[in-house]
Amino acid sequence: MTFQKQKADKATCFQRLVLNLQTYWAEQGCVVLQPYDMEVGAGTFHPATTLRSIGDTIWNAAYVQPSRRPTDGRYGANPNRLQHYYQFQVLMKPSPVNAQALYLGSLEVLGIDLQKHDVRFVEDDWESPTLGAWGLGWEIWCDGMEVSQFTYFQQVGGIDCNPVPLELTYGLERLIMYVQGVDNVYELDWDGIPTEQGGKCYGDVFLQAEQEFSAYNFEHADTEALFQHFKDAEAMSQHLLSQTPPLSLPAYDQTMKASHLFNLLDARGVISVTERQAYIGRVRALAKGCAEAWADSPGGRGEQPQPMSVEV
Amino acid sequence: MSATETLLIDLFSEEIPARMQKGAANDLAKSMADALKAEGLSVGAVDVWYAPRHIALRIADIPVSQADRSEERRGPREGAPEQAVAGFLTANGLASLDQAELRETPKGNFYFAVQHIKGQQTLDLLPGLIEKSIRDFTWPKSMRWGRGSFRWVRPLHRIVALFGNSVVPGALDLGNGESIPFGRETEGHRFSGSGAIALSNPATFEDQLREGSVVVNPTERAETILTGARQAAHEVGCVLIEDAGLLSEVTGLVEWPTIVRGQIPDRFMAVPKEVLVLSMKEHQKYFALQQPDGTLAPYFITVADGKREAETFSRIAGGNERVLAARLSDAEFFWNQDRRDALDTRVPALSSIVFHAKLGSVGDRSDRMGPLAAWLSSHITGADRDAARSAARLSKADLTTGMVGEFPELQGVMGAYYATHDGEDAAIAQAISEHYSPLGPNDNCPSAPLSVAVALADKIDALVGFWRIDEKPTGSKDPFALRRAALGVVRLLVENDIRIPLVNAFREAEMLYGGNSDVSADLLGFIADRMKVTLKDRGLRHDWIAAVFEAGASMDDDLVRVTKRVEALRDFVGTDSGTDLLAGYRRAANILRAEAKKAKGALTVGSVDASLFDEPAERALHAALAGSKAGEYLAAEDFGATFGELAKLRAPIDDFFESVMVNADVAAARENRLALLSQFLGSVDSVVRLSALEG
């Protein structure tokens, strides 16, 4: 795929719009976090969303999360599909009464004039079988394009959410392609600096990675090793959950790891339809265990942790 | 004539799924009207409206108060013991018997407590009734939000409740200290309106919302969309492809519809039209257009929401065009990529797609379907054996293509395109395309001989396979859609008048699975059940079908023949002969049943001995049975004549019961008569098991 920056614009470049979103949600009272340092399939997996959805404390957070979907890799040859992309994620618990208005406000800071576009809330029920989670809401359409997911979580890790959190997920590449009027993701203006001055576009940053990771995901990932890693992560997660008190956060790290390993194996096509359900069930069992452990931990109860006794 | 008022309720929420709006509005209106009637309040005309953020109802002519009424309770008899009187007074809150009425009744003089109850003001009753109607309403899927415990389809924000000009004083409790007070304010369009609208009275609801850029009347929105879309198609010399389901869905997605026409770049018009239509309709909710010659036109129509400036519409059209182009460029990529490998070369890859853990891969399935379709083709006029084998073998190959991976709904259809590209016969391509059909009672049923062969092979292979591993549908559970497959078999055979001995077909399929556990009898019973459902639509009763299936020693497995026999039975039972024969048959059956009971099941009925007959009626019945050609006509499949022969038994059996005493004193004579009745039943049963008939 060849690419070329069409136009450099400091106001609509990728990094500026991400900063705008962060600023906007910070102003709405969110803690702005950095990405979680693990491979995940979606921003929802970040413990700031999953685990913090549980329990009755107020929690408002926003962050960018790189997301990996091994099956969506196209060796950098498709202008719309990526195996690694960015989601911007917002979680507000309890869901604010003006949730929709807050969301629409965030589109405006991205430069989308609501009077000049057709923005629609189209039914979309969300469910994550691996997380034992579901919610109701919409996908948001802007002139016919899905730009965000808007979900009122009802259950996470098999536990009823009470109060109910609002989750917003923006697919940043797609959204910003729309704002910049670019049809090829690799031509996204990243920094607002013209190419001749060393400015970068999306392809400069990511094309090689898309090519190499597609080859890795589809051809080279050692499936036997991946199966073993899955087992190891599952065993470690179970071990951590069996401690007194359980170590919910490290156990959840291992759950995320198992989930991503499952995605890689799925991309390699080595999991049959019937086995697939069994693997999803195993990850869900871990997620439920973590959710229950977290709910019973200081964080889940909304308390400050007590000093931990350390064996030397 | 007492004073009446009109009630208006408008529930303003976040966007309600389009498919749920209508049912909710109608159900809520009904529940509200019923609640009023239950309070003794009459109701007049009921209006219902819905839009993405509104569910509204208006009920006219409700009395402003309940009528006064009195309640009477009978107490003790005059002069009853003091204790009884005291109990009566306390129970009815009376101070003394002076406050009760003494009345004469046929049973004597009794005291009556009469309470005059003043009718309540409707405005006082309404808060409770409205709250209950809302609270009792259940959505197909509902949710909580914020800190509340109340469930609704999406967060509910405002409740308008006006009775005449007055706000109904009340509130909906959401739990955890939150509530929504009833009021007169609702909201207009999200982008084209100007915020809250205070409704003056129930009469102005529609107009006031219209001022707020919401067309709350769904019929009006649908008409606006349809007229506008037709016009927009006409402007470019095309015709709108009308789609009632899509229209109703889009009507539920917009509050102020405006028509936007977009263009499809020419290069995408080479992509199969099913792909284009699917991308437009299912994914984008666009209407497709066709050229006057019926081919797909390079335009689409989408319905935007809200009042906008003209230049805004071209921007919205441009945005939608880009979205569609992105989807179609993916499709175009698959279309070009997929055609590089012939379907034939894709067949081996089917071995890596699991069909069912116990039934092997899709590759195994297509290996079986080839020979099965070939076997079936010999029973189908016009179906070539080799073509059937090859179409069945290729039928699943499109599952390995990128296009079907992306658009699973197009399985079969894409196979036909790729087969045509590979130079396969048109009939083979058509058979691939249609082999999943019919998908239910209303889907088109294939009629081309080759298509029928492959479609039957697809279904029979699946049915036999799942029967072999005992994965039959139970109750509401039918995860492998086997009822649909069985229905498909019935429709393919009966509608195309194709005669195949199904038991043989099942055995053939079993052999291809590599073993004969013989599921055919049980499976045929399952098919018979489906047949009852299908033929019901043709006015053929299920018990008639049972009577035909249960006739003779084994079930008839030729569904075309079964249908004709059932039709002949229908004609027969409507006649006097039919009714009378049925009566004689039942009488004979009852006598034999009673005798069997007396003999505690040890009744042995021998063969008839003509020398033991005393009565002419016995001889006549015996002769009629011996001379009946029912069996011959049945074998010759002249079912009208077969039932004509049964009709000839009517007079002899009537005469028999008229003049012959079955329960004769002489045991030999009695047993001989029982044997004769048994022969009569057997003779009828070989044609039709009348005992299966109901009523």
Side-chain angles (χ1 to χ4, degrees):
Chain A
M1 173 112 354
T2 57
F3 56 86
Q4 197 180 354
K5 191 180 277 206
Q6 305 291 336
K7 184 173 86 161
D9 184 342
K10 289 272 185 197
T12 60
C13 67
F14 197 90
Q15 63 197 32
R16 167 55 57 196
L17 294 184
V18 175
L19 289 169
N20 286 359
L21 275 179
Q22 289 187 337
T23 308
Y24 177 82
W25 287 107
E27 283 163 3
Q28 309 310 324
C30 291
V31 293
V32 174
L33 299 172
Q34 300 305 318
Y36 204 67
D37 59 339
M38 289 188 66
E39 296 162 305
V40 290
T44 303
F45 277 86
H46 195 307
T49 288
T50 46
L51 297 182
R52 296 285 183 172
S53 289
I54 297 161
D56 69 1
T57 30
I58 292 173
W59 176 258
N60 300 312
Y63 54 89
V64 173
Q65 180 64 44
S67 304
R68 302 209 188 202
R69 302 263 168 103
T71 46
D72 281 350
R74 293 290 184 272
Y75 295 83
N78 183 304
N80 298 297
R81 294 270 185 125
L82 302 167
Q83 57 82 40
H84 171 285
Y85 67 104
Y86 287 113
Q87 288 189 340
F88 190 87
Q89 177 87 4
V90 178
L91 192 87
M92 300 187 92
K93 183 181 74 172
S95 66
V97 70
N98 57 345
Q100 287 184 310
L102 288 178
Y103 168 74
L104 292 170
S106 75
L107 291 186
E108 288 184 330
V109 303
L110 293 173
I112 296 176
D113 180 340
L114 299 172
Q115 291 302 328
K116 293 186 173 166
H117 293 277
D118 185 35
V119 176
R120 229 79 83 65
F121 290 75
V122 181
E123 175 190 12
D124 189 40
D125 301 341
W126 173 84
E127 187 183 14
S128 168
T130 44
L131 284 175
W134 69 278
L136 298 189
W138 308 272
E139 38 181 64
I140 317 294
W141 287 12
C142 178
D143 298 341
M145 184 176 66
E146 183 194 340
V147 291
S148 307
Q149 290 274 339
F150 188 121
T151 310
Y152 292 101
F153 277 177
Q154 302 293 300
Q155 213 177 55
V156 172
I159 297 178
D160 279 345
C161 298
N162 194 3
V164 169
L166 161 71
E167 186 210 45
L168 298 173
T169 303
Y170 306 70
L172 286 176
E173 285 82 353
R174 195 145 35 141
L175 188 53
I176 298 174
M177 278 167 75
Y178 191 77
V179 174
Q180 293 187 6
V182 164
D183 289 330
N184 176 354
V185 65
Y186 297 104
E187 297 191 343
L188 275 174
D189 172 16
W190 189 278
D191 50 12
I193 299 169
T195 310
E196 55 277 17
Q197 294 169 27
K200 300 288 180 257
C201 57
Y202 199 88
D204 294 316
V205 185
F206 283 116
L207 179 57
Q208 187 179 337
E210 281 299 313
Q211 292 169 341
E212 293 187 4
F213 276 99
S214 293
Y216 166 72
N217 295 334
F218 289 122
E219 302 164 41
H220 299 289
D222 175 348
T223 57
E224 259 177 59
L226 292 175
F227 275 121
Q228 190 55 49
H229 293 338
F230 181 93
K231 275 189 216 155
D232 293 345
E234 183 184 39
M236 180 49 76
S237 183
Q238 288 164 341
H239 171 74
L240 294 166
L241 287 173
S242 71
Q243 302 305 302
T244 319
L247 299 168
S248 58
L249 290 166
Y252 183 66
D253 269 15
Q254 297 300 318
T255 302
M256 284 188 277
K257 198 172 270 183
S259 171
H260 184 67
L261 288 160
F262 162 73
N263 289 341
L264 282 171
L265 286 163
D266 203 24
R268 289 303 309 273
V270 291
I271 295 183
S272 77
V273 179
T274 32
E275 283 173 327
R276 209 167 175 274
Q277 287 312 313
Y279 273 94
I280 289 172
R282 284 163 74 178
V283 179
R284 181 169 56 235
L286 298 178
K288 284 182 79 163
C290 295
E292 282 157 17
W294 166 263
D296 200 29
S297 74
R301 292 194 300 261
E303 297 162 5
Q304 280 194 10
Q306 295 299 307
M308 213 170 187
S309 62
V310 184
E311 287 175 39
V312 184
Chain B
M1 183 79 198
S2 59
T4 63
E5 276 298 1
T6 299
L7 173 69
L8 174 80
I9 297 174
D10 177 34
L11 303 172
F12 173 78
S13 67
E14 297 179 11
E15 280 79 352
I16 303 165
R19 64 199 165 88
M20 298 178 188
Q21 294 164 13
K22 183 178 180 180
N26 287 330
D27 291 353
L28 269 168
K30 183 175 183 314
S31 121
M32 196 62 227
D34 288 348
L36 289 165
K37 287 183 215 159
E39 287 293 338
L41 294 164
S42 58
V43 300
V46 179
D47 293 305
V48 166
W49 298 273
Y50 53 88
R53 299 200 293 167
H54 295 267
I55 295 286
L57 60 101
R58 183 169 65 193
I59 304 177
D61 303 328
I62 305 168
V64 296
S65 63
Q66 288 175 316
D68 296 343
R69 63 190 204 280
S70 55
E71 269 178 20
E72 298 184 351
R73 250 171 277 164
R74 195 177 77 171
R77 194 186 286 275
E78 186 180 18
E82 205 170 310
Q83 225 174 345
V85 172
F88 167 66
L89 293 177
T90 317
N92 291 288
L94 303 178
S96 73
L97 281 180
D98 298 342
Q99 292 174 335
E101 287 180 25
L102 185 63
R103 291 186 196 164
E104 276 180 39
T105 79
K107 291 180 182 169
N109 291 343
F110 283 87
Y111 287 103
F112 281 80
V114 181
Q115 274 186 314
H116 296 282
I117 301 166
K118 185 114 183 72
Q120 278 184 275
Q121 292 299 306
T122 304
L123 198 55
D124 295 337
L125 288 167
L126 278 171
L129 299 182
I130 295 172
E131 221 242 347
K132 187 167 182 331
S133 285
I134 296 174
R135 197 168 289 287
D136 288 352
F137 182 78
T138 47
W139 291 89
K141 262 187 182 175
S142 62
M143 53 163 277
R144 296 169 290 112
W145 63 95
R147 289 193 176 274
S149 56
F150 178 75
R151 304 183 75 91
W152 199 244
V153 63
R154 293 291 184 277
L156 181 61
H157 289 297
R158 295 176 184 271
I159 300 174
V160 169
L162 290 182
F163 191 53
N165 295 335
S166 317
V167 172
V168 175
L172 177 73
D173 183 8
L174 300 177
N176 283 326
E178 294 181 17
S179 70
I180 303 176
F182 299 166
R184 63 170 73 243
E185 285 198 340
T186 185
E187 281 181 37
H189 196 274
R190 190 193 282 291
F191 303 117
S192 306
S194 45
I197 300 172
L199 297 172
S200 322
N201 65 63
T204 59
F205 174 64
E206 232 180 309
D207 290 342
Q208 285 192 274
L209 274 181
R210 190 188 309 280
E211 280 165 33
S213 300
V214 173
V215 180
V216 78
N217 183 335
T219 316
E220 187 185 332
R221 286 200 308 280
E223 275 166 16
T224 304
I225 294 169
L226 191 57
T227 315
R230 283 178 181 153
Q231 173 61 28
H234 182 73
E235 282 165 14
V236 287
C238 295
V239 180
L240 178 74
I241 300 178
E242 300 196 4
D243 183 328
L246 181 61
L247 177 62
S248 128
E249 186 177 6
V250 171
T251 301
L253 288 175
V254 293
E255 293 191 328
W256 187 276
T258 36
I259 301 296
V260 175
R261 186 183 58 233
Q263 209 157 350
I264 307 171
D266 275 342
R267 61 181 247 245
F268 295 126
M269 297 311 290
V271 174
K273 73 164 198 280
E274 287 86 350
V275 178
L276 293 168
V277 172
L278 187 74
S279 302
M280 286 193 266
K281 179 184 160 177
E282 300 292 333
H283 301 150
Q284 297 296 134
K285 325 278 185 213
Y286 296 163
F287 288 93
L289 269 53
Q290 60 187 19
Q291 310 272 16
D293 67 2
T295 57
L296 197 67
Y299 299 99
F300 64 87
I301 284 172
T302 182
V303 184
D305 193 15
K307 290 177 181 161
R308 308 294 162 88
E309 289 160 14
E311 60 100 19
T312 297
F313 286 118
S314 61
R315 184 196 324 260
I316 292 174
N320 278 283
E321 283 169 356
R322 282 174 52 204
V323 177
L324 186 64
R327 274 193 190 280
L328 293 181
S329 62
D330 232 19
E332 184 190 38
F333 169 79
F334 291 130
W335 173 236
N336 292 331
Q337 194 76 14
D338 289 344
R339 285 182 297 168
R340 289 185 192 169
D341 296 315
L343 274 187
D344 192 53
T345 65
R346 292 178 173 275
V347 173
L350 292 173
S351 324
S352 60
I353 305 176
V354 177
F355 170 55
H356 182 278
K358 290 183 186 164
L359 297 176
S361 67
V362 176
D364 296 330
R365 189 154 141 76
S366 82
D367 285 348
R368 288 188 303 265
M369 279 172 57
L372 183 58
W375 184 90
L376 289 163
S377 70
S378 61
H379 295 266
I380 301 171
T381 316
D384 180 75
R385 197 179 172 84
D386 292 336
R389 187 193 309 274
S390 128
R393 182 174 164 275
L394 296 175
S395 64
K396 306 289 180 193
D398 66 356
L399 296 178
T400 68
T401 63
M403 189 76 91
V404 173
E406 186 68 15
F407 302 100
E409 304 94 322
L410 294 180
Q411 59 181 12
V413 172
M414 287 317 302
Y417 276 102
Y418 296 133
T420 306
H421 175 79
D422 296 346
E424 302 284 353
D425 272 359
I428 291 187
Q430 187 186 4
I432 294 171
S433 170
E434 298 183 327
H435 86 279
Y436 293 102
S437 299
L439 295 170
N442 303 316
D443 190 29
N444 280 339
C445 186
S447 59
L450 210 56
S451 302
V452 174
V454 182
L456 278 173
D458 176 64
K459 288 156 192 68
I460 292 174
D461 176 72
L463 285 165
V464 167
F466 284 105
W467 244 251
R468 281 169 63 86
I469 59 166
D470 204 23
E471 283 280 359
K472 303 172 194 172
T474 50
S476 61
K477 286 212 178 88
D478 184 10
F480 307 109
L482 298 176
R483 288 197 182 98
R484 191 169 77 187
L487 178 67
V489 171
V490 173
R491 287 194 59 195
L492 285 161
L493 294 175
V494 172
E495 291 181 25
N496 294 303
D497 210 16
I498 288 169
R499 311 195 46 180
I500 292 177
L502 273 180
V503 167
N504 292 359
F506 295 159
R507 292 199 176 129
E508 191 68 25
E510 286 226 67
M511 262 166 44
L512 292 162
Y513 271 102
N516 198 342
S517 56
D518 205 8
V519 297
S520 56
D522 194 44
L523 187 48
L524 187 58
F526 182 70
I527 301 261
D529 281 343
R530 291 298 100 196
M531 185 131 175
K532 288 172 189 168
V533 179
T534 330
L535 293 189
K536 201 168 79 182
D537 298 336
R538 293 187 174 197
L540 298 177
R541 274 167 38 183
H542 69 97
D543 55 329
W544 298 344
I545 297 162
V548 168
F549 268 117
E550 291 170 24
S554 61
M555 278 175 88
D556 193 341
D557 67 345
D558 173 348
L559 302 188
V560 170
R561 187 166 57 209
V562 168
T563 309
K564 290 191 174 133
R565 288 172 67 177
V566 174
E567 282 164 352
L569 174 61
R570 170 196 58 199
D571 297 341
F572 178 64
V573 293
T575 64
D576 288 347
S577 301
T579 315
D580 289 351
L581 185 74
L582 180 60
Y585 176 95
R586 284 186 173 150
R587 197 163 162 192
N590 285 341
I591 290 170
L592 281 167
R593 201 177 306 123
E595 288 298 321
K597 204 173 171 188
K598 261 191 249 167
K600 300 205 186 312
L603 179 74
T604 48
V605 179
S607 51
V608 179
D609 181 349
S611 68
L612 291 173
F613 290 144
D614 294 330
E615 305 282 346
E618 283 180 285
R619 288 196 187 86
L621 177 59
H622 188 240
L625 291 172
S628 173
K629 294 196 169 63
E632 288 164 45
Y633 285 128
L634 184 65
E637 306 195 354
D638 185 344
F639 305 115
T642 309
F643 281 102
E645 287 297 299
L646 287 193
K648 288 183 190 164
L649 298 177
R650 168 202 174 188
I653 190 72
D654 284 355
D655 287 349
F656 178 89
F657 282 123
E658 192 76 16
S659 54
V660 178
M661 174 76 124
V662 176
N663 210 354
D665 294 338
V666 182
R670 188 177 76 234
E671 279 162 20
N672 199 46
R673 284 169 188 169
L674 289 174
L676 182 60
L677 285 182
S678 171
Q679 190 190 343
F680 163 71
L681 290 180
S683 186
V684 176
D685 283 346
S686 66
V687 175
V688 53
R689 193 164 298 267
L690 289 181
S691 55
L693 294 191
E694 294 168 4

